[in-house]
mmCIF file of all heavy atoms in Angstrom:
data_model
loop_
_atom_site.group_PDB
_atom_site.id
_atom_site.type_symbol
_atom_site.label_atom_id
_atom_site.label_comp_id
_atom_site.label_asym_id
_atom_site.label_seq_id
_atom_site.Cartn_x
_atom_site.Cartn_y
_atom_site.Cartn_z
ATOM 1 N N THR A 1368 23.829 -22.600 18.247
ATOM 2 C CA THR A 1368 24.304 -21.805 19.383
ATOM 3 C C THR A 1368 23.700 -20.409 19.427
ATOM 4 O O THR A 1368 23.863 -19.697 20.414
ATOM 5 C CB THR A 1368 25.836 -21.667 19.350
ATOM 6 O OG1 THR A 1368 26.196 -20.925 18.168
ATOM 7 C CG2 THR A 1368 26.516 -23.023 19.362
ATOM 8 N N GLY A 1369 23.038 -19.984 18.349
ATOM 9 C CA GLY A 1369 22.449 -18.655 18.291
ATOM 10 C C GLY A 1369 23.448 -17.555 17.982
ATOM 11 O O GLY A 1369 23.097 -16.380 17.990
ATOM 12 N N GLU A 1370 24.695 -17.910 17.711
ATOM 13 C CA GLU A 1370 25.712 -16.905 17.418
ATOM 14 C C GLU A 1370 25.641 -16.411 15.973
ATOM 15 O O GLU A 1370 26.042 -15.294 15.684
ATOM 16 C CB GLU A 1370 27.111 -17.460 17.696
ATOM 17 C CG GLU A 1370 27.359 -17.734 19.159
ATOM 18 C CD GLU A 1370 28.729 -18.329 19.411
ATOM 19 O OE1 GLU A 1370 29.495 -18.529 18.455
ATOM 20 O OE2 GLU A 1370 29.036 -18.608 20.578
ATOM 21 N N PHE A 1371 25.170 -17.270 15.080
ATOM 22 C CA PHE A 1371 25.113 -16.917 13.665
ATOM 23 C C PHE A 1371 23.698 -17.091 13.136
ATOM 24 O O PHE A 1371 22.973 -17.982 13.574
ATOM 25 C CB PHE A 1371 26.068 -17.796 12.843
ATOM 26 C CG PHE A 1371 27.509 -17.537 13.155
ATOM 27 C CD1 PHE A 1371 28.150 -18.258 14.146
ATOM 28 C CD2 PHE A 1371 28.220 -16.568 12.470
ATOM 29 C CE1 PHE A 1371 29.481 -18.019 14.454
ATOM 30 C CE2 PHE A 1371 29.548 -16.311 12.773
ATOM 31 C CZ PHE A 1371 30.178 -17.043 13.765
ATOM 32 N N VAL A 1372 23.338 -16.218 12.201
ATOM 33 C CA VAL A 1372 22.079 -16.361 11.476
ATOM 34 C C VAL A 1372 22.459 -16.659 10.023
ATOM 35 O O VAL A 1372 23.382 -16.055 9.478
ATOM 36 C CB VAL A 1372 21.176 -15.117 11.621
ATOM 37 C CG1 VAL A 1372 21.794 -13.882 11.011
ATOM 38 C CG2 VAL A 1372 19.808 -15.369 11.037
ATOM 39 N N TYR A 1373 21.780 -17.627 9.422
ATOM 40 C CA TYR A 1373 22.104 -18.093 8.076
ATOM 41 C C TYR A 1373 20.947 -17.774 7.133
ATOM 42 O O TYR A 1373 19.775 -17.903 7.512
ATOM 43 C CB TYR A 1373 22.335 -19.607 8.079
ATOM 44 C CG TYR A 1373 23.470 -20.039 8.967
ATOM 45 C CD1 TYR A 1373 23.251 -20.399 10.289
ATOM 46 C CD2 TYR A 1373 24.775 -20.067 8.477
ATOM 47 C CE1 TYR A 1373 24.293 -20.786 11.111
ATOM 48 C CE2 TYR A 1373 25.826 -20.457 9.295
ATOM 49 C CZ TYR A 1373 25.579 -20.812 10.605
ATOM 50 O OH TYR A 1373 26.614 -21.194 11.417
ATOM 51 N N PHE A 1374 21.292 -17.372 5.902
ATOM 52 C CA PHE A 1374 20.258 -17.116 4.911
ATOM 53 C C PHE A 1374 20.875 -17.069 3.520
ATOM 54 O O PHE A 1374 22.048 -16.795 3.346
ATOM 55 C CB PHE A 1374 19.495 -15.818 5.201
ATOM 56 C CG PHE A 1374 20.356 -14.590 5.258
ATOM 57 C CD1 PHE A 1374 20.522 -13.777 4.145
ATOM 58 C CD2 PHE A 1374 20.990 -14.232 6.434
ATOM 59 C CE1 PHE A 1374 21.303 -12.635 4.206
ATOM 60 C CE2 PHE A 1374 21.775 -13.092 6.507
ATOM 61 C CZ PHE A 1374 21.938 -12.296 5.391
ATOM 62 N N GLY A 1375 20.045 -17.368 2.555
ATOM 63 C CA GLY A 1375 20.421 -17.247 1.154
ATOM 64 C C GLY A 1375 19.743 -16.028 0.560
ATOM 65 O O GLY A 1375 18.723 -15.558 1.062
ATOM 66 N N THR A 1376 20.335 -15.505 -0.510
ATOM 67 C CA THR A 1376 19.764 -14.332 -1.160
ATOM 68 C C THR A 1376 19.560 -14.608 -2.645
ATOM 69 O O THR A 1376 20.147 -15.532 -3.205
ATOM 70 C CB THR A 1376 20.675 -13.096 -1.011
ATOM 71 O OG1 THR A 1376 21.924 -13.356 -1.657
ATOM 72 C CG2 THR A 1376 20.895 -12.740 0.440
ATOM 73 N N ALA A 1377 18.747 -13.773 -3.253
ATOM 74 C CA ALA A 1377 18.514 -13.849 -4.691
ATOM 75 C C ALA A 1377 18.842 -12.497 -5.299
ATOM 76 O O ALA A 1377 18.593 -11.459 -4.692
ATOM 77 C CB ALA A 1377 17.062 -14.216 -4.983
ATOM 78 N N GLY A 1378 19.410 -12.539 -6.486
ATOM 79 C CA GLY A 1378 19.753 -11.309 -7.174
ATOM 80 C C GLY A 1378 19.132 -11.267 -8.553
ATOM 81 O O GLY A 1378 18.313 -12.101 -8.914
ATOM 82 N N PRO A 1379 19.545 -10.293 -9.349
ATOM 83 C CA PRO A 1379 18.951 -10.115 -10.673
ATOM 84 C C PRO A 1379 19.366 -11.223 -11.640
ATOM 85 O O PRO A 1379 20.449 -11.774 -11.543
ATOM 86 C CB PRO A 1379 19.505 -8.769 -11.119
ATOM 87 C CG PRO A 1379 20.806 -8.651 -10.400
ATOM 88 C CD PRO A 1379 20.584 -9.316 -9.072
ATOM 89 N N TYR A 1380 18.483 -11.517 -12.554
ATOM 90 C CA TYR A 1380 18.790 -12.454 -13.625
ATOM 91 C C TYR A 1380 18.262 -11.860 -14.924
ATOM 92 O O TYR A 1380 17.085 -11.515 -15.023
ATOM 93 C CB TYR A 1380 18.142 -13.810 -13.383
ATOM 94 C CG TYR A 1380 18.379 -14.777 -14.526
ATOM 95 C CD1 TYR A 1380 19.586 -15.444 -14.641
ATOM 96 C CD2 TYR A 1380 17.417 -14.977 -15.497
ATOM 97 C CE1 TYR A 1380 19.832 -16.312 -15.691
ATOM 98 C CE2 TYR A 1380 17.647 -15.836 -16.550
ATOM 99 C CZ TYR A 1380 18.854 -16.506 -16.642
ATOM 100 O OH TYR A 1380 19.103 -17.345 -17.681
ATOM 101 N N THR A 1381 19.134 -11.689 -15.858
ATOM 102 C CA THR A 1381 18.732 -11.207 -17.177
ATOM 103 C C THR A 1381 19.381 -12.110 -18.211
ATOM 104 O O THR A 1381 20.235 -12.932 -17.902
ATOM 105 C CB THR A 1381 19.197 -9.752 -17.411
ATOM 106 O OG1 THR A 1381 20.627 -9.733 -17.450
ATOM 107 C CG2 THR A 1381 18.702 -8.813 -16.317
ATOM 108 N N ALA A 1382 19.018 -11.924 -19.462
ATOM 109 C CA ALA A 1382 19.618 -12.724 -20.539
ATOM 110 C C ALA A 1382 21.124 -12.487 -20.605
ATOM 111 O O ALA A 1382 21.888 -13.373 -20.966
ATOM 112 C CB ALA A 1382 18.955 -12.389 -21.863
ATOM 113 N N ALA A 1383 21.558 -11.291 -20.218
ATOM 114 C CA ALA A 1383 22.985 -10.951 -20.304
ATOM 115 C C ALA A 1383 23.757 -11.338 -19.044
ATOM 116 O O ALA A 1383 24.968 -11.506 -19.093
ATOM 117 C CB ALA A 1383 23.139 -9.460 -20.558
ATOM 118 N N ASN A 1384 23.079 -11.452 -17.924
ATOM 119 C CA ASN A 1384 23.765 -11.694 -16.653
ATOM 120 C C ASN A 1384 23.169 -12.882 -15.923
ATOM 121 O O ASN A 1384 21.954 -12.976 -15.763
ATOM 122 C CB ASN A 1384 23.654 -10.466 -15.738
ATOM 123 C CG ASN A 1384 24.290 -9.249 -16.358
ATOM 124 O OD1 ASN A 1384 25.432 -9.291 -16.768
ATOM 125 N ND2 ASN A 1384 23.534 -8.165 -16.450
ATOM 126 N N GLU A 1385 24.027 -13.769 -15.481
ATOM 127 C CA GLU A 1385 23.604 -14.889 -14.645
ATOM 128 C C GLU A 1385 23.207 -14.342 -13.271
ATOM 129 O O GLU A 1385 23.776 -13.375 -12.793
ATOM 130 C CB GLU A 1385 24.769 -15.876 -14.496
ATOM 131 C CG GLU A 1385 24.415 -17.182 -13.879
ATOM 132 C CD GLU A 1385 23.534 -18.049 -14.765
ATOM 133 O OE1 GLU A 1385 23.653 -17.972 -16.000
ATOM 134 O OE2 GLU A 1385 22.722 -18.787 -14.221
ATOM 135 N N ALA A 1386 22.236 -14.951 -12.641
ATOM 136 C CA ALA A 1386 21.802 -14.502 -11.317
ATOM 137 C C ALA A 1386 22.947 -14.650 -10.320
ATOM 138 O O ALA A 1386 23.667 -15.642 -10.325
ATOM 139 C CB ALA A 1386 20.599 -15.310 -10.854
ATOM 140 N N HIS A 1387 23.125 -13.647 -9.485
ATOM 141 C CA HIS A 1387 24.107 -13.705 -8.409
ATOM 142 C C HIS A 1387 23.363 -13.963 -7.115
ATOM 143 O O HIS A 1387 22.533 -13.164 -6.705
ATOM 144 C CB HIS A 1387 24.888 -12.396 -8.300
ATOM 145 C CG HIS A 1387 25.890 -12.239 -9.390
ATOM 146 N ND1 HIS A 1387 26.805 -11.233 -9.398
ATOM 147 C CD2 HIS A 1387 26.126 -12.939 -10.512
ATOM 148 C CE1 HIS A 1387 27.576 -11.330 -10.467
ATOM 149 N NE2 HIS A 1387 27.159 -12.352 -11.166
ATOM 150 N N CYS A 1388 23.669 -15.072 -6.497
ATOM 151 C CA CYS A 1388 23.045 -15.442 -5.232
ATOM 152 C C CYS A 1388 24.159 -15.632 -4.209
ATOM 153 O O CYS A 1388 25.269 -16.019 -4.558
ATOM 154 C CB CYS A 1388 22.239 -16.726 -5.386
ATOM 155 S SG CYS A 1388 20.954 -16.595 -6.621
ATOM 156 N N TYR A 1389 23.853 -15.351 -2.965
ATOM 157 C CA TYR A 1389 24.845 -15.439 -1.901
ATOM 158 C C TYR A 1389 24.293 -16.273 -0.760
ATOM 159 O O TYR A 1389 23.095 -16.274 -0.497
ATOM 160 C CB TYR A 1389 25.198 -14.048 -1.368
ATOM 161 C CG TYR A 1389 25.721 -13.103 -2.424
ATOM 162 C CD1 TYR A 1389 24.863 -12.269 -3.128
ATOM 163 C CD2 TYR A 1389 27.082 -13.052 -2.712
ATOM 164 C CE1 TYR A 1389 25.345 -11.398 -4.089
ATOM 165 C CE2 TYR A 1389 27.572 -12.187 -3.682
ATOM 166 C CZ TYR A 1389 26.697 -11.368 -4.371
ATOM 167 O OH TYR A 1389 27.176 -10.508 -5.325
ATOM 168 N N LEU A 1390 25.171 -16.944 -0.060
ATOM 169 C CA LEU A 1390 24.824 -17.640 1.173
ATOM 170 C C LEU A 1390 25.557 -16.917 2.299
ATOM 171 O O LEU A 1390 26.776 -16.766 2.244
ATOM 172 C CB LEU A 1390 25.239 -19.109 1.119
ATOM 173 C CG LEU A 1390 24.996 -19.917 2.379
ATOM 174 C CD1 LEU A 1390 23.506 -19.934 2.744
ATOM 175 C CD2 LEU A 1390 25.529 -21.317 2.235
ATOM 176 N N TYR A 1391 24.816 -16.445 3.290
ATOM 177 C CA TYR A 1391 25.405 -15.682 4.387
ATOM 178 C C TYR A 1391 25.418 -16.492 5.663
ATOM 179 O O TYR A 1391 24.472 -17.234 5.952
ATOM 180 C CB TYR A 1391 24.584 -14.412 4.645
ATOM 181 C CG TYR A 1391 24.863 -13.289 3.699
ATOM 182 C CD1 TYR A 1391 24.245 -13.230 2.459
ATOM 183 C CD2 TYR A 1391 25.754 -12.279 4.029
ATOM 184 C CE1 TYR A 1391 24.491 -12.186 1.583
ATOM 185 C CE2 TYR A 1391 26.002 -11.227 3.160
ATOM 186 C CZ TYR A 1391 25.368 -11.190 1.939
ATOM 187 O OH TYR A 1391 25.611 -10.169 1.084
ATOM 188 N N ALA A 1392 26.465 -16.303 6.430
ATOM 189 C CA ALA A 1392 26.551 -16.736 7.818
ATOM 190 C C ALA A 1392 26.927 -15.459 8.569
ATOM 191 O O ALA A 1392 28.082 -15.046 8.598
ATOM 192 C CB ALA A 1392 27.620 -17.801 8.006
ATOM 193 N N LEU A 1393 25.937 -14.783 9.117
ATOM 194 C CA LEU A 1393 26.111 -13.470 9.715
ATOM 195 C C LEU A 1393 26.288 -13.597 11.221
ATOM 196 O O LEU A 1393 25.471 -14.217 11.906
ATOM 197 C CB LEU A 1393 24.872 -12.627 9.396
ATOM 198 C CG LEU A 1393 24.884 -11.165 9.775
ATOM 199 C CD1 LEU A 1393 25.984 -10.422 9.042
ATOM 200 C CD2 LEU A 1393 23.535 -10.549 9.447
ATOM 201 N N ASP A 1394 27.394 -13.032 11.743
ATOM 202 C CA ASP A 1394 27.660 -13.040 13.176
ATOM 203 C C ASP A 1394 26.607 -12.174 13.857
ATOM 204 O O ASP A 1394 26.525 -10.979 13.626
ATOM 205 C CB ASP A 1394 29.061 -12.503 13.436
ATOM 206 C CG ASP A 1394 29.498 -12.666 14.873
ATOM 207 O OD1 ASP A 1394 28.638 -12.817 15.769
ATOM 208 O OD2 ASP A 1394 30.715 -12.631 15.119
ATOM 209 N N ALA A 1395 25.771 -12.780 14.666
ATOM 210 C CA ALA A 1395 24.634 -12.083 15.285
ATOM 211 C C ALA A 1395 24.899 -11.691 16.742
ATOM 212 O O ALA A 1395 23.984 -11.316 17.450
ATOM 213 C CB ALA A 1395 23.391 -12.961 15.196
#
Side-chain angles (χ1 to χ4, degrees):
T1368 64
E1370 293 178 0
F1371 293 91
V1372 64
Y1373 300 92
F1374 58 95
T1376 62
Y1380 177 79
T1381 66
N1384 299 307
E1385 191 69 31
H1387 285 188
C1388 301
Y1389 302 91
L1390 177 60
Y1391 280 83
L1393 187 62
D1394 189 339

